Amino acid sequence: MKLLVIEDNAAMQTTLQRSFERRGFKVVICDDGARALSRWRASVPDVVLLDLSLPGQDGLDVLSQARAEGLTTPVIIITARGTLGDKILGLNTGADDYLPKPFDLDELEARIRALVRRQGQASEARPADAPSFCGLRADAQSGAVYHHGQPLDLAPREAALLRALLVGPGQAVAKDKLFELVFADAADALPDAIEVVAYRLRKRLPPGSAKLVTLRGLGYLLQPDD
């Protein structure tokens, strides 16, 4: 398993590299936010460990750009910014997990392995090729969604919801089924959280593409935006 560690603190770099290499991981280090995306693309990691306070470019900006490009690698933010507001911002930007410093290495390893398991399960469940609809198309490998070839700037959960609806455009998908697909990695999420994601996605769909329709008691579906 390969880890990309985007962290500028030399002591933390050494600790993570030595510890995880002993555990059988391959570890790639990047110490600069400005170079993080190019290293991310080149290393093809299984999980990214991302600090937020980086030279060159802030970690949240790195994460936002990565998700906008369609990089779907699971990300665990490791940072000294540990307030509730920081966590919410990091998760909403596209992180899959958030672990404030100082942390226990055994707990970090457990979180890494849990993310990889969920990623593998999601890949097995994902359709081989989601159909296009009203110019919208989901890439089966990266998970990115495009409109007439241009990537949409969607948060990970928004993209997950849109991908699920693109499997059967024009057909209603139940809210509980969508919740299972979109929040598979969030054990503490409430079922109504899918409504928030649907609200955000509805505002992000390009004009003239598709509209997200709510069917009370049934769920959601995509229809042409006439």
Side-chain angles (χ1 to χ4, degrees):
M1 189 185 305
K2 182 187 288 187
L3 299 181
L4 172 59
V5 178
I6 306 174
E7 164 70 64
D8 69 315
N9 182 281
M12 179 62 72
Q13 289 174 12
T14 300
T15 297
L16 291 173
Q17 185 163 19
R18 289 179 177 174
S19 175
F20 281 100
E21 285 181 347
R22 290 193 195 105
R23 299 167 191 234
F25 291 72
K26 181 177 180 181
V27 180
V28 177
I29 300 291
C30 178
D31 62 1
D32 184 87
R35 297 193 299 269
L37 279 179
S38 60
R39 184 62 63 87
W40 190 332
R41 299 186 204 100
S43 65
V44 194
D46 295 295
V47 174
V48 174
L49 303 182
L50 176 65
D51 188 20
L52 296 184
S53 300
L54 296 168
Q57 188 173 8
D58 185 78
L60 284 178
D61 292 333
V62 172
L63 178 57
S64 179
Q65 290 181 26
R67 295 314 192 205
E69 288 186 15
L71 295 173
T72 59
T73 310
V75 173
I76 301 178
I77 291 178
I78 51 171
T79 179
R81 304 182 199 173
T83 69
L84 178 59
D86 289 324
K87 293 179 183 178
I88 292 172
L89 181 58
L91 294 170
N92 284 341
T93 301
D96 298 273
D97 203 348
Y98 197 108
L99 193 58
K101 298 175 181 175
F103 48 79
D104 182 85
L105 290 172
D106 289 335
E107 179 184 359
L108 177 56
E109 181 184 6
R111 289 176 182 241
I112 290 170
R113 294 191 183 280
L115 278 180
V116 171
R117 283 197 304 272
R118 287 196 290 268
Q119 185 82 347
Q121 291 165 1
S123 297
E124 292 173 2
R126 185 180 298 134
D129 187 19
S132 60
F133 181 70
C134 297
L136 296 169
R137 180 183 62 82
D139 184 89
Q141 291 187 335
S142 70
V145 183
Y146 298 83
H147 181 238
H148 293 304
Q150 298 299 314
L152 296 184
D153 183 12
L154 300 177
R157 298 198 195 283
E158 295 164 3
L161 175 57
L162 184 51
R163 287 195 300 269
L165 293 170
L166 281 172
V167 173
Q171 302 176 13
V173 184
K175 282 177 59 177
D176 57 350
K177 178 63 175 178
L178 292 172
F179 177 81
E180 291 175 4
L181 293 171
V182 175
F183 290 92
D185 61 342
D188 57 346
L190 299 176
D192 287 347
I194 194 67
E195 297 179 7
V196 177
V197 179
Y199 172 77
R200 293 174 178 169
L201 175 60
R202 186 176 286 115
K203 295 195 298 182
R204 290 181 179 270
L205 289 173
S209 60
K211 60 183 177 182
L212 178 58
V213 178
T214 303
L215 298 179
R216 293 190 178 277
L218 294 177
Y220 298 96
L221 59 80
L222 290 177
Q223 289 183 345
D225 186 11
D226 299 327

